[in-house]
Amino acid sequence: MPKTGSGQISVIIPARNASSTIARTLSSLEADKALIHEILLVDDGSQDGTANVAAKAGDLHGLPLTVFEAGFSNAGAARNFGLDRARGGRLFFLDADDEVLPGGMTLLSDALDASPAASLAIGASIHRGQTVQKLKLPGNYGQDNSANARRYLLNELRSITVGSALVTAKAAAGVRFPESINLDEDTIYWAAILSRCAVTTIGQPVLAYNLDEARMSRRFVSDPHGVFSGIAVELDKLRSFGFPEDVLQKRKSFISMRIVRHLIRQRRFNEAADMMRVSRHYGGGGLRDLKALQYRLRIWRGYATGLFGFGTAGMSGDAGILSRSHDEKQPGGTPELIVNDFHPPPGRHGNGSPE
């Protein structure tokens, strides 16, 4: 039987091989446990004893914790598993390596209580990287739900960090996380939520978010075209929430440019140039786009470094400056590269380092 408390919040935590962090994550909920109806931890195929560590931590802190064993290998699917079993009137999502700041959930709950028209409360979060720590404030939301949702998807509003928001179960009814992708699934979920509910925000930090930049980068470049295609398919599903086509296209362009940035850091200039062309296809990366210009220069410099031994950084290119011919193949199956009509020798590729 699931354990329940006296509160109204269902906390949903997907966890996979999180034995080193989950006890700390669960202990961070103790200060707000009076508000919690249930904590649904979905152990998604862990091989390190995460479930046992979690169960002991739950007992230690007197939390209404229920651990489910699953094998999705996907955070979105694990969250949806929890959503399907949640019985609280409010929903709170938390990652297994982050911590709620003491009283953070109370701040979010009080914000909803003070704003009867709102169904979503968003707080600030502290993002902790390996070298820096930053305070991320919530965006400046207006009264128009549709406008908020569009601005969010266009990156005009700061992204909602998992663990910094509390949404009513009524507003979230029927909305689920994408299960076919492992990147940007939370962005797509929150965009759908924003399209249907009013927002209240608080400036106080409610979450300590631990950012693993290296892991994030690896996920973007493990299969660049596969990552992009998967996110693009899920973005298209937002049409059912009223998102216009131009907003979806611009988001796709933005995603492709994020992939370009990570590919440049990996010195994978061929693929970065190809993703620049994807961005142009969806209306981004034009001559007036300063970021795109910077990437084109980095890819070009990277090729110059590899071809001629000069230049210190990798820089970008697109159809007008640097393109790939998909009709002809170089030896080894590598697509031919063309820089201002100059053909690099077979087998030679940019090998510089990004700035």
Side-chain angles (χ1 to χ4, degrees):
M1 286 289 293
K3 296 180 181 179
T4 58
S6 59
Q8 62 173 322
I9 298 176
S10 289
V11 181
I12 299 172
I13 306 174
R16 180 175 172 82
N17 294 329
S19 63
S20 64
T21 61
I22 191 61
R24 187 171 64 248
T25 296
L26 290 171
S27 70
S28 74
L29 297 171
E30 185 174 11
D32 293 303
K33 69 179 179 181
L35 298 176
I36 299 175
H37 176 69
E38 59 190 351
I39 302 171
L40 308 177
L41 188 144
V42 184
D43 182 19
D44 194 10
S46 296
Q47 302 296 316
D48 65 349
T50 293
N52 290 332
V53 175
K56 291 178 181 178
D59 290 340
L60 177 65
H61 298 287
L63 300 173
L65 171 70
T66 301
V67 178
F68 297 93
E69 300 281 354
F72 300 113
S73 297
N74 179 277
R79 292 189 187 110
N80 290 341
F81 183 91
L83 274 171
D84 291 339
R85 288 155 181 79
R87 296 296 178 263
R90 292 174 176 177
L91 304 172
F92 183 79
F93 302 99
L94 182 63
D95 286 342
D97 57 352
D98 298 330
E99 300 106 58
V100 178
L101 297 179
M105 200 178 298
T106 298
L107 289 172
L108 293 171
S109 186
D110 288 348
L112 282 181
D113 291 340
S115 304
S119 301
L120 174 64
I122 307 170
S125 56
I126 298 172
H127 287 222
R128 302 186 299 205
Q130 293 181 332
T131 58
V132 296
Q133 181 169 289
K134 296 181 179 179
L135 176 65
K136 301 289 188 179
L137 296 172
N140 184 22
Y141 292 87
Q143 297 183 349
D144 186 327
N145 299 347
S146 296
N148 287 336
R150 291 194 299 271
R151 291 175 60 212
Y152 182 77
L153 210 58
L154 290 172
N155 221 39
E156 295 174 4
L157 292 170
R158 190 179 299 280
S159 60
I160 300 171
T161 304
V162 171
S164 69
L166 182 66
V167 62
T168 66
K170 182 178 180 180
V175 182
R176 292 294 183 267
F177 287 85
E179 298 186 4
S180 65
I181 56 178
N182 284 302
L183 279 169
D184 234 31
E185 79 284 351
D186 51 337
T187 298
I188 293 173
Y189 176 83
W190 290 122
I193 293 292
L194 286 169
S195 71
R196 55 164 61 176
C197 67
V199 180
T200 184
T201 61
I202 56 176
Q204 298 101 311
V206 301
L207 176 77
Y209 174 80
N210 295 305
L211 176 62
D212 187 336
E213 298 176 357
R215 183 178 66 177
M216 179 68 70
S217 182
R218 288 194 300 270
R219 291 165 71 186
F220 269 108
V221 302
S222 60
D223 176 14
H225 280 280
V227 168
F228 173 81
S229 298
I231 295 174
V233 167
E234 294 297 341
L235 283 170
D236 286 340
K237 297 177 183 179
L238 286 176
R239 294 191 186 102
S240 63
F241 290 89
F243 283 86
E245 193 65 29
D246 65 312
V247 171
L248 300 178
Q249 300 293 80
K250 289 178 181 177
R251 182 69 190 186
K252 293 173 187 177
S253 176
F254 170 76
I255 292 297
S256 64
M257 291 294 282
R258 287 182 70 187
I259 296 173
V260 167
R261 176 164 60 90
H262 288 286
L263 286 169
I264 290 174
R265 289 179 175 178
Q266 297 285 328
R267 306 183 185 185
R268 291 163 59 176
F269 301 111
N270 286 11
E271 294 161 284
D274 206 26
M275 289 306 300
M276 287 291 295
R277 296 175 67 239
V278 173
S279 178
R280 288 292 298 271
H281 175 77
Y282 288 104
L287 295 178
R288 296 184 181 181
D289 187 333
L290 179 59
K291 182 62 67 175
L293 178 60
Q294 292 172 341
Y295 289 168
R296 283 196 294 271
L297 291 174
R298 289 174 184 170
I299 293 175
W300 183 87
R301 197 179 301 170
Y303 284 126
T305 301
L307 290 170
F308 306 114
F310 62 81
T312 59
M315 233 181 117
S316 122
D318 61 18
I321 297 176
L322 181 152
S323 65
R324 295 176 62 172
S325 170
H326 293 274
D327 297 325
E328 300 181 45
K329 299 285 186 178
Q330 292 182 317
T334 303
E336 183 180 22
L337 295 165
I338 305 171
V339 184
N340 288 335
D341 296 325
F342 175 79
H343 296 238
R348 297 293 301 276
H349 304 290
N351 201 27
S353 61
E355 292 180 331

